[in-house]
Amino acid sequence: MPADSPAPSLSRWTSDLALAVVFLTRLPLRLSGPPAGDAHARAMGWFPLVGAGVGLCGGAVYGLAALAHLPPLPAALLALGAMVWLTGALHEDGAADVADGFGGGRDKARKLEIMRDSRVGSYGVLAIVFSVAVRASALAALAEPRLVIPALLASGALSRGGMAAVARFMAPARADGLAARQGRPSPGTVALSLALALAVAVAALKGLAPAAILVAILAVLAVAWQARRQIGGHTGDVFGAAQQVAEAAVLLTLAATVA
């Protein structure tokens, strides 16, 4: 085997991770060139690692707010605000579109049409309000930065760990959407995504990891089941809704366990 044979794999992993960062955040990271046809599907394997980074950013803001003697609830809202800014409200927007489409559409075609509409309806507004309120209250219940920071790390990773599996085992709801253009992740990509999510959760939460992992799995399965029932498959918005529900579920579980 030539001495330089591992280089292409390392280069591809680096490119895939960079693409995952560009896709999930607003960080001004430059890509080395146009992504290959299957690059977006491969990048999903790194989503949990990027999610952990987003959670770490939120945890750092919470820690600084605590050092400034802010109460837990304002500190939690600032942490969530930092995470929303970092991701460009990508997942919140998806959750709002899903709430509007599933809540206001009479059939699959109408639901998908509503989900593509840039305007936000009553269901969407309520979805964002409840998402922020539930996550902020759970973080405030944890209160201590030594508990909040690991919780945000783990929930950030776990809530994005199932996206590749959903894309692998569920068909896109529409043929011309973002989810369809991303392609179908390989079994190796799914395995990488799940392994990273589990590794971050175990490292951050230790004995609390099993409960957090279980509720994250159930949350993603619940959203996927509802998407299959409502529109017959997944979309990019469905991924956003799954992330929001899973993150809230993990934080609530940790708050109930620790607080």
Side-chain angles (χ1 to χ4, degrees):
M1 182 179 293
D4 61 345
S5 60
S9 293
L10 179 60
S11 174
R12 195 186 75 174
W13 291 341
T14 303
S15 298
D16 291 347
L17 175 57
L19 182 57
V21 172
V22 170
F23 188 81
L24 292 182
T25 75
R26 300 173 61 176
L27 293 177
L29 193 63
R30 285 175 174 254
L31 299 176
S32 58
D38 61 343
H40 286 91
R42 295 198 315 265
M44 297 185 79
W46 299 98
F47 279 11
L49 195 59
V50 178
V54 172
L56 182 61
C57 174
V61 170
Y62 189 94
L64 291 173
L67 286 175
H69 303 291
L70 284 179
L73 184 56
L77 289 170
L78 287 175
L80 291 177
M83 293 163 62
V84 168
W85 175 85
L86 185 58
T87 61
L90 176 68
H91 305 306
E92 285 80 4
D93 179 70
D97 287 342
V98 166
D100 278 335
F102 289 8
R106 293 185 299 273
D107 53 34
K108 174 182 175 179
R110 180 56 180 155
K111 292 175 196 291
L112 290 172
E113 180 184 353
I114 292 173
M115 290 167 67
R116 261 195 174 151
D117 194 328
S118 60
R119 294 170 294 182
V120 180
S122 300
Y123 289 111
V125 171
L126 288 171
I128 294 174
V129 169
F130 277 114
S131 174
V132 172
V134 167
R135 289 181 291 157
S137 59
L139 293 173
L142 291 170
E144 295 292 330
R146 63 182 178 84
L147 299 176
V148 169
I149 294 172
L152 286 173
L153 272 168
S155 62
L158 288 172
S159 61
R160 293 166 176 85
M163 292 183 182
V166 172
R168 170 73 187 176
F169 297 108
M170 182 184 291
R174 54 166 71 98
D176 59 342
L178 175 62
R181 292 196 301 271
Q182 280 185 318
R184 187 184 183 198
S186 68
T189 296
V190 174
L192 173 63
S193 179
L194 296 176
L196 286 174
L198 294 177
V200 171
V202 170
L205 301 177
K206 298 179 174 61
L208 297 177
I213 293 168
L214 177 61
V215 298
I217 292 171
L218 293 176
V220 172
L221 287 175
V223 174
W225 173 81
Q226 189 67 246
R228 185 185 295 276
R229 192 176 73 87
Q230 296 274 356
I231 56 175
H234 67 78
T235 67
D237 289 332
V238 169
F239 290 144
Q243 189 279 327
Q244 291 284 282
V245 173
E247 184 170 89
V250 169
L251 293 177
L252 284 174
T253 301
L254 294 175
T257 304
V258 175

